[in-house]
Amino acid sequence: MNRTTHNTDHLITPEQALTLHGLFLERTRLSPGAVAYRHFNDGCWRDMTWTEAKNEVARWQGALIAEGLAQGDRVGLMLRNCPQWVMFDQAALSLGLVVVPLYTVDRPENAAYIANDAQIRVLLFETESQWKALKSVGEHLDCVKRFVSLAKIDDRDENRLVSASNWLPDAAKLQDSPCMDRDALATIIYTSGTTGHPKGVMLSHHNILYNAYAGLLTLPIGPDDVLLSFLPLSHTFERTVGYYISVMAGATLAFSRSIQVLLEDMQLVRPTILVSVPRIYERIYNSVHVNLDRGSGFSRMLFRMTETTGWRRFEYRQGRAPWHVSLLLWPVLQALVADKVLKRFGGRLRLSISGGAPLPREISGLFVSLGLPLLQGYGLTETSPIISVNCMENNFPDSAGLPLHGIEVRIGEHDALLVRSPCNMIGYWNNKAATQAMISPDGWLNTGDMARISGTGHIYITGRLKEIIVMSNGEKVPPADMQQAILRDRLFEQVMVCGEGRPCLIALAVLNIDAWANLAKEIGLDPAAAESPRDRRAEKKALERIARQIREFPGYAKISRVLLLTEPWSIENGLLTPTLKLKRAKVADKFSKEIEEFYSRY
């Protein structure tokens, strides 16, 4: 199927680019005066043209040259999303160095493990607090020849440390890149992992270039677009779909200040393209429905009418349903309801991409009904990362979309989704056994996800091969599916189902503060009191609501107890990965006392 229905003349092809730095140079040649990057600095938003970006890359390249590194050496960066991330990346790639990104919020021991495993020679970081964390494991960082800090840090005990302002030359001329094969190693990306040591995924220049180009054959992104970057660039989803795709398409990439002020940044930057994980859509969805619960019956009726009419309009425009007379109401409903919700995204959004985890049907359906072109996709770090994505004219919002051009998929043993493509990784760094376990001799990569492929060719992810709870009675339960079902109730922000080797299932649930305030008042509790969520009346109400959401599951899949919590699980407190995935083992460990107390009664 030819999925390209939009103009692609502005795109730089993998053949033109050859390498990721070649891609950057070609863009600076084609669009020298256009805005490449937008960032917040010294109290205001500032623009950087492609020519200005190239001049900055030259300075970073000059500093790296002075370190005497050899082609193929590894360099690391531990920065939030900012122009310096891009400048360092491009400078390193221009010299044939291999870039190893580290998460800004991570345990020092994990950073030390990655630095040693990859033998990082130069490490760029940002803050004094990061330096203190690195110093705490300093005896394990002998491989690092140079530490470079964006902040000025006074530490006379470490002669390897230098501030970027002193390390960078005032000006430099960009030197020609060494001759490189397109299949040369470009980066090692360590999977964040929910348990154990991370594995280093090796991706070549061509792996990423092919993936970005194949993605742009489906995603209509061009020079007039503005993307808002807030997912960590250290993860391949944001790096390919945000950063490299914007270079390939000539779009502007704006760096959000932080996730904490993301909604404010949306209002200020007013992006046309949003690349996100489900968590962001879930937050807005929950906020909308909490406000509806507080509103009048008329407001709720009008919203339901907008959803119903909007979905009919979507299906009609997709060619899957006939025209309906209610569509005549859409302009009014759009003005009264839909546009007001979508203004939370800045008011200019014309395309939104969701990946990283499945987006629940009711959430994707809501935004599509309100007129937001939301395309759900799917991929892995090991596949550079996009495997599939929906397209504008053939969008099934509850699916993971169609495979990109040149990507083969099939269903293997135990319903495992297998992938073969030019985007498949070279392998795992220093881990031949793990590589052989994941990629067959004939090139098929086992994603570890269970899936089905519909008659239209759309991929539907149905579960994880390893994410099954086996209870002590031998019954098997898919926790992710149950968690997703429970989260349909707006009382809950985050949920984890437990029960491996146990006689029954329990749940840990972080409450939506607004919805909890309403429920607490209903049952005569003070929502602000620390002990209220542990009150049996609150637990009873929560269990009743959970039971309603999981009634389609087998009878043995019953939640017997629930621990209600008010502090969210986050990257900062170590309970989510940097890509917002739940660290089950960490959550279970943190609440082990409460979990054991629950089970002691069985």
Side-chain angles (χ1 to χ4, degrees):
M1 173 184 175
N2 182 7
R3 307 186 61 186
T4 309
T5 58
H6 55 277
N7 184 15
T8 59
D9 293 345
H10 58 282
L11 303 183
I12 298 168
T13 68
E15 292 72 27
Q16 289 172 294
L18 188 63
T19 68
L20 291 167
H21 183 61
L23 173 70
F24 179 80
L25 289 180
E26 184 66 4
R27 178 51 62 198
T28 63
R29 184 185 72 80
L30 293 172
S31 314
V35 176
Y37 301 105
R38 184 167 295 151
H39 63 112
F40 193 83
N41 188 36
D42 291 335
C44 65
W45 290 90
R46 300 178 183 275
D47 288 347
M48 178 185 290
T49 67
W50 290 104
T51 295
E52 289 169 337
K54 180 180 176 181
N55 292 338
E56 283 298 299
V57 169
R59 295 176 66 213
W60 288 88
Q61 185 196 59
L64 284 169
I65 289 173
E67 294 295 343
L69 302 172
Q71 189 172 338
D73 278 351
R74 276 75 60 200
V75 294
L77 69 171
M78 185 188 284
L79 300 182
R80 61 185 169 86
N81 295 12
C82 59
Q84 291 91 336
W85 208 109
V86 174
M87 305 306 120
F88 184 89
D89 181 59
Q90 287 296 331
L93 293 170
S94 75
L95 299 173
L97 303 174
V98 177
V99 177
V100 183
L102 289 85
Y103 290 108
T104 56
V105 182
D106 205 349
R107 291 182 298 109
E109 296 80 10
N110 205 43
Y113 171 81
I114 292 171
N116 275 298
D117 191 56
Q119 286 294 289
I120 288 175
R121 304 290 288 145
V122 174
L123 178 58
L124 173 66
F125 65 97
E126 185 171 3
T127 66
E128 188 166 3
S129 62
Q130 286 177 320
W131 177 239
K132 288 178 180 176
L134 290 169
K135 280 199 75 173
S136 71
V137 291
E139 68 274 16
H140 303 299
L141 292 172
D142 291 341
C143 60
V144 181
K145 175 184 177 183
R146 176 73 67 198
F147 293 99
V148 183
S149 168
L150 292 188
K152 290 190 175 181
I153 300 171
D154 184 17
D155 189 337
R156 297 173 187 176
D157 296 331
E158 180 53 79
N159 58 17
R160 294 178 295 171
L161 174 66
V162 64
S163 67
S165 58
N166 294 329
W167 187 63
L168 292 167
D170 292 335
K173 186 177 186 302
L174 196 65
Q175 303 299 305
D176 290 339
S177 297
C179 183
M180 278 191 290
D181 186 339
R182 69 174 197 173
D183 296 316
L185 179 61
T187 187
I188 304 171
I189 302 174
Y190 282 79
T191 56
S192 52
T194 55
T195 59
H197 280 310
K199 296 192 290 287
V201 176
M202 296 189 291
L203 299 178
S204 71
H205 289 264
H206 189 66
N207 282 154
I208 298 171
L209 286 170
Y210 187 97
N211 196 254
Y213 188 73
L216 284 168
L217 294 180
T218 293
L219 303 170
I221 301 174
D224 296 329
D225 283 311
V226 177
L227 289 80
L228 184 62
S229 175
F230 62 93
L231 300 175
L233 273 169
S234 39
H235 190 269
T236 187
F237 182 38
E238 179 67 30
R239 191 167 167 195
T240 296
V241 185
Y243 163 24
Y244 293 131
I245 270 184
S246 68
V247 181
M248 189 170 274
T252 297
L253 186 64
F255 297 107
S256 175
R257 290 169 290 172
S258 70
I259 285 186
Q260 287 72 31
V261 293
L262 177 61
L263 293 180
E264 183 183 338
D265 282 352
M266 285 186 189
Q267 301 300 315
L268 296 169
V269 173
R270 302 184 67 227
T272 61
I273 310 289
L274 185 69
V275 178
S276 182
V277 291
R279 187 76 188 120
I280 304 304
Y281 302 108
E282 288 168 0
R283 283 178 181 170
I284 294 177
Y285 174 91
N286 288 336
S287 173
V288 166
H289 281 280
V290 166
N291 288 334
L292 281 175
D293 290 343
R294 290 173 175 166
S296 66
F298 176 76
S299 297
R300 289 191 289 273
M301 181 272 293
L302 192 63
F303 194 87
R304 284 194 296 270
M305 185 185 298
T306 304
E307 275 194 275
T308 302
T309 306
W311 183 258
R312 280 181 181 148
R313 174 176 175 267
F314 168 73
E315 288 287 275
Y316 170 67
R317 289 161 70 97
Q318 290 285 310
R320 297 194 288 261
W323 184 86
H324 191 275
V325 67
S326 65
L327 299 186
L328 294 172
L329 294 172
W330 177 250
V332 176
L333 296 171
Q334 184 179 29
L336 291 175
V337 179
D339 285 350
K340 291 179 180 178
V341 175
L342 297 185
K343 276 182 181 176
R344 299 185 183 207
F345 294 102
R348 287 200 306 172
L349 209 56
R350 64 174 194 81
L351 173 63
S352 186
I353 303 155
S354 180
L359 187 62
R361 165 66 181 80
E362 62 274 13
I363 297 177
S364 61
L366 169 69
F367 288 114
V368 164
S369 297
L370 295 177
L372 175 65
L374 193 157
L375 304 180
Q376 185 164 196
Y378 165 77
L380 308 172
T381 302
E382 289 86 346
T383 57
S384 305
I386 317 171
I387 293 172
S388 62
V389 68
N390 278 282
C391 50
M392 299 283 274
E393 68 283 355
N394 192 6
N395 183 12
F396 285 84
D398 56 340
S399 80
L402 295 162
L404 295 187
H405 174 77
I407 292 182
E408 301 174 78
V409 296
R410 74 181 190 196
I411 304 299
E413 191 177 0
H414 305 302
D415 293 332
L417 181 65
L418 309 180
V419 181
R420 185 166 63 182
S421 85
C423 312
N424 283 4
M425 67 174 178
I426 298 171
Y428 290 117
W429 177 260
N430 288 338
N431 200 334
K432 188 175 181 181
T435 302
Q436 291 175 338
M438 193 166 195
I439 304 177
S440 68
D442 57 350
W444 287 96
L445 182 148
N446 189 328
T447 65
D449 286 311
M450 296 183 292
R452 65 179 177 86
I453 300 173
S454 71
T456 61
H458 288 74
I459 297 170
Y460 289 80
I461 304 301
T462 58
R464 283 289 294 170
L465 287 171
K466 294 181 180 178
E467 283 189 2
I468 297 293
I469 288 175
V470 182
M471 298 164 65
S472 58
N473 59 7
E475 300 289 4
K476 297 180 176 64
V477 175
D481 293 347
M482 290 192 73
Q483 288 157 194
Q484 194 172 101
I486 293 168
L487 286 170
R488 291 184 299 216
D489 189 311
R490 293 183 294 281
L491 177 63
F492 309 110
E493 281 280 340
Q494 296 166 299
V495 174
M496 187 175 96
V497 173
C498 307
E500 178 68 29
R502 305 283 196 169
C504 64
L505 301 175
I506 65 170
L508 312 181
V510 176
L511 295 162
N512 175 291
I513 296 303
D514 292 329
W516 161 240
N518 293 337
L519 176 62
K521 289 171 184 175
E522 278 179 28
I523 58 179
L525 295 173
D526 177 4
E531 67 275 8
S532 290
R534 306 291 176 98
D535 191 285
R536 287 293 290 175
R537 288 171 288 174
E539 185 183 10
K540 181 182 177 185
K541 282 288 186 183
L543 286 171
E544 288 172 0
R545 294 173 72 146
I546 289 172
R548 285 198 292 271
Q549 299 304 327
I550 61 171
R551 56 182 177 269
E552 71 266 28
F553 288 84
Y556 57 79
K558 174 189 174 185
I559 303 296
S560 300
R561 296 293 305 272
V562 59
L563 177 66
L564 300 177
L565 307 163
T566 54
E567 182 187 354
W569 303 330
S570 66
I571 300 169
E572 288 73 19
N573 60 27
L575 302 180
L576 295 184
T577 72
T579 51
L580 306 183
K581 293 186 178 73
L582 187 65
K583 291 186 175 181
R584 291 186 60 87
K586 293 287 186 184
V587 175
D589 182 62
K590 181 176 177 65
F591 300 103
S592 59
K593 181 180 176 182
E594 292 89 341
I595 291 170
E596 290 305 322
E597 185 179 334
F598 277 176
Y599 281 118
S600 67
R601 303 180 187 183
Y602 291 91

